[in-house]
Amino acid sequence: MMKSFGAMLADYGGFGPGFNFLRIALAFSIVFYHVLTNSGHWALAHGPVLWFLEYSLVPMFFALSGFLITGSAQRLSLQNFLLNRALRIVPALAVDILVCAFIIGPAVTTLPLGEYFTDAGFFAYMLNIIGWAHFELPGVFTGHPVPQVNGALWTIPWEINCYIIMSVMMLTGVVRRAVATVLLLAAFVVAGLAVEHFTSAEAGDVSGLNTLFVGRGAQLITAFLCGILAYQLRHRIPMSRILFAACIAVALTAMLLLEMSATESVANRLVLMPVLTYITIYTGLSHLALPKILEGGDYSYGVYLYHVPFIQLAIMLGPPILVGTVVGIVTLILMAGTIVLCVAAVSWHLIEKPILSLRKRYSLAGRMIAGGEDRAVSGAKPAPAPTSNGTGACVSHAHQPLPASEIPGYGQNSQAQIDLHGRN
């Protein structure tokens, strides 16, 4: 009998064996794409076939995040949920912003340091820490094809928007009701179709409706909601090779027949977002092992945060051949990929992992284990596990294993380590 996503999750203890591989693969795919765009290959990156990378990679990250954090959202209080999210995102992001503003920026800016540190753009860049995206520092990388320090940060505000949506879903109980999520997703898409039809892009987005319901950020919210719905319906969605192959075929067809303008078209999301979500979750629940060198931690967030600044540094410090040539593309991928992986490892072991260890003080599992340890010290017998039939056997959560994110001290496979940080 064909298993469902939910049954596969139960078999794996709440975390699929392919999620780590998928996360790092998506992150390095984004590195490749940004090597193209930041080295001046706009026509190639936005042309046939490769345009689909920009369309699909970041939404897949958001779908993955929606799927994986819904389990935690169904079990945690809102306070603990938001605390977990903040501990995962903010510390590493803040360090990235500070490194760019106080180390990379002063080292390469064309302005005198006095002007650099007093420029309004320097202070505006700090707002990235609170999710207000700013991409440039004064006098930094101004001669590059893309004069930005870190354009990948555009997804941070949308990630925050997704957590706001999840918070509302938790407060209203929608996070536990698939039908309500379907209605929410349908309302969001219909609103997008209406805005797209009745507004003119040429007239500008004075009201902000186009940005909220039609643009690339709206695409990410759609993917996030699809991920939430996939988790809610996990026991009804089959783990089917045929369905997976069909989704791949649909994605390849879109890749060949559509073009870059499809990124801001709402109608195709009705098909492609569910397709990309299925591909993402199926891959995460498949046996895809990480290379040994990557087994020491979750480096995907660090790769995402730091890859653009180091691509820009490589372009600045390297030979002119790095810009506008095929040899330059290959060289940049090797240089930036190697350096960014090392930086991401440092970020994980010195910043992210120590901060994440703080979650055990607040998580449900941490309190349960602490209570068990107290009973062990006092000699008291532990209480029986919760049941649905009074036998003492834990059957109420047979298909809802405790998320790995809530296991104190859980290592590189921690579910809550998976966030949206695949940003294009």
Side-chain angles (χ1 to χ4, degrees):
M1 182 179 178
M2 185 181 299
K3 289 188 174 182
S4 66
F5 281 173
M8 296 295 291
L9 273 177
D11 289 347
Y12 295 133
F15 190 89
F19 283 129
N20 286 324
F21 176 89
L22 176 65
R23 189 166 62 245
I24 201 70
L26 288 173
F28 274 104
S29 296
I30 291 171
V31 173
F32 164 71
Y33 191 80
H34 280 158
V35 164
L36 295 180
T37 57
N38 283 271
S39 60
H41 295 274
W42 282 92
L44 179 62
H46 294 168
V49 179
L50 289 182
W51 76 270
F52 197 70
L53 294 179
E54 181 163 328
Y55 184 90
S56 62
L57 293 177
V58 177
M60 290 175 73
F61 258 120
F62 272 69
L64 179 63
S65 177
F67 182 84
L68 289 172
I69 70 173
T70 301
S72 294
Q74 290 181 349
R75 295 176 178 87
L76 294 178
S77 68
L78 179 60
Q79 177 184 356
N80 284 347
F81 174 81
L82 293 176
L83 179 63
N84 280 352
R85 303 275 64 76
L87 289 176
R88 181 63 185 110
I89 298 169
V90 177
L93 173 64
V95 172
D96 170 66
I97 300 307
L98 295 176
V99 166
C100 289
F102 286 95
I103 299 178
I104 295 177
V108 305
T109 182
T110 58
L111 299 179
L113 291 184
E115 292 184 25
Y116 171 82
F117 283 112
T118 56
D119 191 283
F122 171 80
F123 296 103
Y125 195 78
M126 298 298 171
L127 296 175
N128 284 301
I129 297 175
I130 61 172
W132 189 350
H134 291 78
F135 308 127
E136 299 177 6
L137 282 168
V140 178
F141 304 138
T142 53
H144 288 198
V146 179
Q148 296 179 345
V149 178
N150 197 346
L153 297 179
W154 77 272
T155 58
I156 296 293
W158 294 103
E159 183 169 356
I160 293 173
N161 288 341
C162 286
Y163 292 151
I164 292 173
I165 292 171
M166 178 61 83
S167 298
V168 174
M169 294 178 72
M170 292 174 68
L171 289 172
T172 59
V174 173
V175 72
R176 297 179 180 276
R177 299 197 292 269
V179 173
T181 303
V182 170
L183 294 175
L184 176 62
L185 180 57
F188 186 76
V189 172
V190 169
L193 291 170
V195 171
E196 185 178 31
H197 179 74
F198 291 107
T199 62
S200 171
E202 290 76 12
D205 188 22
V206 178
S207 66
L209 291 177
N210 192 277
T211 299
L212 181 60
F213 291 105
V214 178
R216 293 176 63 196
Q219 181 186 31
L220 303 185
I221 290 179
T222 305
F224 184 74
L225 291 173
C226 285
I228 294 173
L229 185 60
Y231 184 85
Q232 292 172 329
L233 298 176
R234 64 196 180 280
H235 298 303
R236 299 184 181 183
I237 301 176
M239 185 77 175
S240 167
R241 291 182 181 179
I242 295 176
L243 187 53
F244 177 73
C247 288
I248 293 291
V250 171
L252 290 176
T253 301
M255 180 190 298
L256 296 173
L257 298 183
L258 299 179
E259 56 186 18
M260 194 68 199
S261 60
T263 304
E264 298 198 16
S265 173
V266 178
N268 61 61
R269 295 172 193 169
L270 292 170
V271 175
L272 290 180
M273 288 303 106
V275 161
L276 292 175
T277 300
Y278 189 89
I279 292 172
T280 299
I281 308 309
Y282 184 97
T283 303
L285 293 174
S286 302
H287 286 281
L288 296 171
L290 277 172
K292 291 292 183 181
I293 193 174
L294 300 176
E295 290 182 349
D298 173 15
Y299 304 143
S300 59
Y301 187 28
V303 168
Y304 184 81
L305 284 178
Y306 286 99
H307 76 278
V308 173
F310 281 94
I311 289 173
Q312 296 286 59
L313 278 175
I315 291 173
M316 182 176 188
L317 301 176
I321 195 174
L322 294 182
V323 178
T325 67
V326 175
V327 174
I329 293 174
V330 177
T331 305
L332 270 176
I333 291 172
L334 294 176
M335 290 175 57
T338 301
I339 294 171
V340 168
L341 181 58
C342 294
V343 174
V346 172
S347 176
W348 169 254
H349 291 290
L350 296 186
I351 302 167
E352 299 166 58
K353 185 178 179 181
I355 292 295
L356 288 172
S357 67
L358 297 176
R359 291 183 308 194
K360 65 185 178 182
R361 299 181 183 180
Y362 308 101
S363 68
L364 172 64
R367 293 195 298 271
M368 291 172 62
I369 291 176
E373 291 173 348
D374 291 342
R375 285 190 294 270
V377 171
S378 65
K381 293 183 179 181
T387 70
S388 62
N389 60 4
T391 64
C394 186
V395 298
S396 61
H397 297 291
H399 297 293
Q400 295 184 357
L402 188 68
S405 62
E406 304 314 319
I407 301 176
Y410 195 80
Q412 69 187 59
N413 291 336
S414 173
Q415 188 183 88
Q417 292 164 12
I418 304 189
D419 286 297
L420 309 171
H421 304 121
R423 313 172 194 8
N424 190 1

